Amino acid sequence: TFNLLPPIHLKQDTQYEAALLSINLYNSIPNITNENNKFKYSVDNGKTWKIITLDTGSYEINSINNEIQRIMINNGDFNADNDEFYITISADIPELKSIINITNPLYSVDFNIENSIGPTLGFQSVVLSLGYNKSQSIVDITKINLVLVNVDIISGSYVSGCLSPCIYSFDPYKVPPGYKLDDRPNPSLTYYPVNRTSINSLRIWLTYQTNKPIDLQGEKVTIKIKIREVINIKKE
C-alpha cells in the first residue's frame, strides 16, 4: 500500500480508466513451502523413520532430488565407498510423472504423513519399497497457472465469473526460478474504470488464480500503471 503525497485528484465530472503498463520482478515464487516439504524415509526396513524438511524455495525435480540426497549424506544414509545413493528421484518427462528408484531392500519411503512432498511428486499416501516406483498421477510441481495483479482503484474486471480487482495476469514460468521477469500487456493495454476521483493511497497485491496471496520471499516488485481520461468519441 502506497500513500500518495500529494494525492491524485481527478475531475469530478469526467470518467477515467487505468491499465497496467509493466511489471518487473524476479521469479522467486516458491513451489515448496511448509505445506509440502516433508520427505519420510527408512533405512532399516521400516523399523525407524527419518524426516527430511526442505527449505521453502523454487524447486525443479532434479533440485528436489539433489537437496534430499545432500541431507541423506549428512545423515550417513548413502554408500560412501561407491558414492552411491539408494533413493533417487527423477522425472518421467513423456508421462509428466516422477520416478523414485530404491535400490536397497532395506530402504523405503513413506508419503503417508502430513505436509508430505508426495502429492507434489504425483504420489498418493503410499509406502514405497525396493524397485522402480512411478507416480500414480502427474507431478503437481507448478501449482500456479496465473499470477493476478490486483489494484484497489479499478472496477469492471472479472475472474472466473466473479468481480475482481485484477488489472492484469501473467504466467510466472516464462522464466526459470531466480530469473528476472519483465512482463507487459501484448499487443495492447487493457483498461478498466477507475472507481474513485481522489486517490490518496494505492494498494497493489499479487495472488494465485485461486485468490491465495503469493509469497515473493522478500523480492522487490516494480509495477507501472497508467491512468487516463476516457474520451467520448461521439462527443469529440
Side-chain angles (χ1 to χ4, degrees), residues 56-221:
T56 295
S58 302
Y59 293 79
E60 297 178 347
I61 289 182
N62 65 328
S63 54
I64 291 174
N65 175 72
N66 293 341
E67 180 63 9
I68 288 175
Q69 289 187 343
R70 183 190 69 81
I71 297 175
M72 291 180 73
I73 290 176
N74 294 339
N75 293 342
D77 298 328
F78 81 114
N79 189 333
D81 295 331
N82 300 326
D83 195 23
E84 177 185 3
F85 292 96
Y86 297 129
I87 297 177
T88 303
I89 304 172
S90 59
D92 181 353
I93 295 176
E95 295 188 40
L96 303 179
K97 296 182 178 182
S98 68
I99 297 161
I100 297 183
N101 195 27
I102 301 175
T103 57
N104 187 319
L106 296 178
Y107 277 58
S108 53
V109 174
D110 184 3
F111 287 131
N112 189 28
I113 60 170
E114 189 175 1
N115 303 322
S116 170
I117 199 173
T120 301
L121 297 174
F123 286 92
Q124 300 171 5
S125 299
V126 295
V127 177
L128 307 180
S129 55
L130 178 69
Y132 180 91
N133 301 277
K134 183 185 292 187
S135 64
Q136 299 92 337
S137 307
I138 63 173
V139 298
D140 190 22
I141 200 165
T142 54
K143 297 181 180 297
I144 305 174
N145 295 326
L146 287 174
V147 172
L148 308 183
V149 182
N150 303 283
V151 183
D152 68 348
I153 65 168
I154 67 155
S155 57
S157 177
Y158 285 81
V159 175
S160 299
C162 299
L163 275 172
S164 167
C166 175
I167 196 171
Y168 184 67
S169 63
F170 64 94
D171 177 7
Y173 300 111
K174 289 181 178 179
V175 298
Y179 283 74
K180 186 176 182 179
L181 177 63
D182 184 355
D183 204 75
R184 59 195 64 232
N186 183 38
S188 61
L189 303 182
T190 301
Y191 286 89
Y192 296 94
V194 174
N195 58 19
R196 63 193 69 176
T197 57
S198 183
I199 305 175
N200 299 298
S201 65
L202 183 67
R203 180 176 175 240
I204 302 173
W205 68 103
L206 305 184
T207 60
Y208 301 127
Q209 67 277 0
T210 57
N211 253 353
K212 183 178 180 181
I214 286 178
D215 177 14
L216 294 175
Q217 303 186 79
E219 287 289 347
K220 293 182 179 179
V221 182

Side-chain angles (χ1 to χ4, degrees), residues 1-8 199-203:
T1 299
F2 303 91
N3 293 316
L4 303 180
L5 295 173
I8 298 174
I199 305 175
N200 299 298
S201 65
L202 183 67
R203 180 176 175 240

